[in-house]
Amino acid sequence: MIKVLNQYFPRRWAVLLVGESCLILLALAAAVAVDARGWPDRPAAPLLLKAVVITVICQICLHYSDLYAPESHSRPGDMLARLLQSLGIASLLLALLYWLVPDLRFRTAPVIGAVLAIVLLLLCWRQIMAWALAWAARAFPAGERLLVLGSG
Protein backbone atom coordinates (compact mmCIF):
# COMPACT_ATOMS: atom_id res chain seq x y z
CA MET A 1 0.00 0.00 0.00
CA ILE A 2 1.10 3.53 -0.79
CA LYS A 3 0.20 6.34 1.60
CA VAL A 4 -0.66 9.72 0.05
CA LEU A 5 -2.10 12.51 2.22
CA ASN A 6 -2.97 10.06 5.01
CA GLN A 7 -4.90 7.80 2.64
CA TYR A 8 -3.74 4.37 1.55
CA PHE A 9 -3.84 3.34 -2.10
CA PRO A 10 -3.06 -0.09 -3.55
CA ARG A 11 0.06 -0.48 -5.65
CA ARG A 12 -2.00 -1.36 -8.73
CA TRP A 13 -3.52 2.13 -8.50
CA ALA A 14 -0.06 3.68 -8.78
CA VAL A 15 0.91 1.36 -11.65
CA LEU A 16 -2.26 2.24 -13.55
CA LEU A 17 -1.88 5.96 -12.88
CA VAL A 18 1.76 6.17 -13.95
CA GLY A 19 1.31 3.80 -16.89
CA GLU A 20 -1.72 5.62 -18.25
CA SER A 21 -0.07 9.01 -17.80
CA CYS A 22 2.93 7.81 -19.80
CA LEU A 23 0.66 6.38 -22.51
CA ILE A 24 -1.30 9.63 -22.82
CA LEU A 25 1.92 11.65 -23.05
CA LEU A 26 3.31 9.17 -25.59
CA ALA A 27 0.18 9.41 -27.75
CA LEU A 28 0.29 13.21 -27.67
CA ALA A 29 4.02 13.28 -28.49
CA ALA A 30 3.56 10.83 -31.35
CA ALA A 31 0.64 12.80 -32.79
CA VAL A 32 2.56 16.08 -32.65
CA ALA A 33 5.69 14.43 -34.10
CA VAL A 34 3.71 12.97 -37.01
CA ASP A 35 2.22 16.37 -37.73
CA ALA A 36 4.98 17.86 -39.90
CA ARG A 37 4.10 21.47 -39.15
CA GLY A 38 3.73 21.06 -35.38
CA TRP A 39 7.09 19.83 -34.14
CA PRO A 40 10.15 21.46 -35.75
CA ASP A 41 9.18 25.12 -35.67
CA ARG A 42 7.94 25.22 -32.07
CA PRO A 43 10.01 25.01 -28.89
CA ALA A 44 9.49 21.84 -26.86
CA ALA A 45 8.65 23.51 -23.51
CA PRO A 46 5.20 24.89 -24.50
CA LEU A 47 4.30 21.60 -26.19
CA LEU A 48 5.28 19.70 -23.05
CA LEU A 49 3.21 22.05 -20.89
CA LYS A 50 0.19 21.54 -23.17
CA ALA A 51 0.66 17.76 -23.08
CA VAL A 52 0.93 17.75 -19.27
CA VAL A 53 -2.27 19.83 -18.96
CA ILE A 54 -4.13 17.37 -21.19
CA THR A 55 -2.73 14.42 -19.26
CA VAL A 56 -3.73 15.86 -15.87
CA ILE A 57 -7.28 16.60 -17.03
CA CYS A 58 -7.60 13.12 -18.54
CA GLN A 59 -6.32 11.50 -15.34
CA ILE A 60 -8.76 13.48 -13.20
CA CYS A 61 -11.65 12.39 -15.41
CA LEU A 62 -10.45 8.76 -15.36
CA HIS A 63 -10.24 8.88 -11.57
CA TYR A 64 -13.73 10.31 -11.12
CA SER A 65 -15.15 7.68 -13.50
CA ASP A 66 -14.02 5.01 -11.00
CA LEU A 67 -11.63 3.43 -13.47
CA TYR A 68 -9.03 2.93 -10.74
CA ALA A 69 -11.37 0.77 -8.65
CA PRO A 70 -11.50 -2.55 -10.53
CA GLU A 71 -14.20 -3.96 -8.27
CA SER A 72 -16.62 -1.23 -9.39
CA HIS A 73 -17.00 -2.59 -12.94
CA SER A 74 -17.36 -6.30 -13.46
CA ARG A 75 -17.86 -6.54 -17.21
CA PRO A 76 -15.48 -5.32 -19.93
CA GLY A 77 -18.33 -3.33 -21.47
CA ASP A 78 -18.64 -1.30 -18.28
CA MET A 79 -14.96 -0.41 -18.42
CA LEU A 80 -15.23 0.63 -22.08
CA ALA A 81 -18.29 2.78 -21.39
CA ARG A 82 -16.63 4.48 -18.42
CA LEU A 83 -13.43 5.05 -20.39
CA LEU A 84 -15.29 6.67 -23.28
CA GLN A 85 -17.41 8.76 -20.90
CA SER A 86 -14.37 9.99 -19.00
CA LEU A 87 -12.53 10.92 -22.21
CA GLY A 88 -15.65 12.70 -23.46
CA ILE A 89 -15.86 14.72 -20.25
CA ALA A 90 -12.13 15.45 -20.54
CA SER A 91 -12.74 16.73 -24.08
CA LEU A 92 -15.47 19.05 -22.83
CA LEU A 93 -13.27 20.34 -20.01
CA LEU A 94 -10.40 20.89 -22.44
CA ALA A 95 -12.72 22.75 -24.83
CA LEU A 96 -13.73 25.05 -21.97
CA LEU A 97 -10.09 25.52 -20.97
CA TYR A 98 -9.09 26.27 -24.59
CA TRP A 99 -11.89 28.82 -24.81
CA LEU A 100 -10.59 30.52 -21.66
CA VAL A 101 -6.87 30.19 -22.52
CA PRO A 102 -6.46 29.93 -26.32
CA ASP A 103 -2.65 29.67 -26.12
CA LEU A 104 -2.92 26.14 -24.66
CA ARG A 105 -4.46 24.79 -27.88
CA PHE A 106 -2.86 22.22 -30.12
CA ARG A 107 -3.61 22.23 -33.81
CA THR A 108 -6.64 20.14 -34.81
CA ALA A 109 -4.89 17.42 -36.84
CA PRO A 110 -2.62 16.09 -34.08
CA VAL A 111 -5.43 16.17 -31.54
CA ILE A 112 -7.69 13.90 -33.61
CA GLY A 113 -4.89 11.37 -34.00
CA ALA A 114 -3.98 11.65 -30.32
CA VAL A 115 -7.56 11.03 -29.16
CA LEU A 116 -7.83 7.87 -31.25
CA ALA A 117 -4.41 6.71 -30.07
CA ILE A 118 -5.28 7.42 -26.42
CA VAL A 119 -8.50 5.40 -26.62
CA LEU A 120 -6.77 2.44 -28.27
CA LEU A 121 -3.73 2.54 -25.99
CA LEU A 122 -5.80 2.80 -22.81
CA LEU A 123 -8.08 -0.06 -23.88
CA CYS A 124 -5.09 -2.30 -24.65
CA TRP A 125 -3.32 -1.23 -21.44
CA ARG A 126 -6.36 -1.98 -19.32
CA GLN A 127 -6.78 -5.42 -20.90
CA ILE A 128 -3.09 -6.26 -20.42
CA MET A 129 -3.24 -5.10 -16.79
CA ALA A 130 -6.39 -7.16 -16.17
CA TRP A 131 -4.64 -10.27 -17.50
CA ALA A 132 -1.49 -9.51 -15.50
CA LEU A 133 -3.42 -8.97 -12.26
CA ALA A 134 -5.41 -12.18 -12.79
CA TRP A 135 -2.18 -14.09 -13.41
CA ALA A 136 -0.53 -12.58 -10.34
CA ALA A 137 -3.54 -13.47 -8.18
CA ARG A 138 -3.28 -17.10 -9.33
CA ALA A 139 0.51 -17.31 -9.16
CA PHE A 140 0.90 -15.57 -5.81
CA PRO A 141 -2.21 -16.23 -3.72
CA ALA A 142 -2.81 -14.06 -0.70
CA GLY A 143 -1.91 -15.52 2.65
CA GLU A 144 -4.44 -16.39 5.29
CA ARG A 145 -5.85 -13.63 7.39
CA LEU A 146 -5.68 -14.26 11.09
CA LEU A 147 -7.38 -12.40 13.88
CA VAL A 148 -6.07 -12.95 17.40
CA LEU A 149 -8.44 -11.99 20.19
CA GLY A 150 -7.61 -11.88 23.84
CA SER A 151 -6.35 -9.75 26.64
CA GLY A 152 -3.17 -11.55 27.62
Side-chain angles (χ1 to χ4, degrees):
M1 297 289 251
I2 299 170
K3 186 175 181 179
V4 177
L5 298 174
N6 288 331
Q7 186 171 0
Y8 288 98
F9 295 100
R11 286 188 193 104
R12 71 170 177 263
W13 179 83
V15 170
L16 285 172
L17 182 75
V18 170
E20 288 177 357
S21 296
C22 291
L23 288 175
I24 292 170
L25 285 172
L26 178 71
L28 289 168
V32 170
V34 167
D35 183 32
R37 292 173 286 178
W39 188 262
D41 60 344
R42 295 185 184 170
L47 291 175
L48 182 62
L49 174 67
K50 293 175 186 181
V52 168
V53 167
I54 291 172
T55 301
V56 167
I57 289 176
C58 286
Q59 285 297 339
I60 290 170
C61 291
L62 290 171
H63 174 73
Y64 281 112
S65 293
D66 284 336
L67 283 170
Y68 293 114
E71 56 276 349
S72 66
H73 48 279
S74 57
R75 297 176 301 185
D78 292 342
M79 192 265 304
L80 174 64
R82 288 182 188 206
L83 179 66
L84 292 176
Q85 285 175 352
S86 66
L87 292 177
I89 292 170
S91 298
L92 291 174
L93 289 174
L94 285 169
L96 177 66
L97 182 67
Y98 293 158
W99 181 67
L100 294 172
V101 185
D103 291 337
L104 284 176
R105 269 189 246 175
F106 274 113
R107 291 177 5 96
T108 304
V111 171
I112 293 171
V115 167
L116 294 174
I118 288 170
V119 169
L120 291 174
L121 285 172
L122 290 183
L123 283 175
C124 292
W125 171 253
R126 286 290 178 142
Q127 190 61 43
I128 290 169
M129 288 305 295
W131 288 335
L133 288 173
W135 174 82
R138 283 191 314 271
F140 306 105
E144 288 186 33
R145 294 185 179 254
L146 180 64
L147 176 63
V148 178
L149 297 175
S151 62

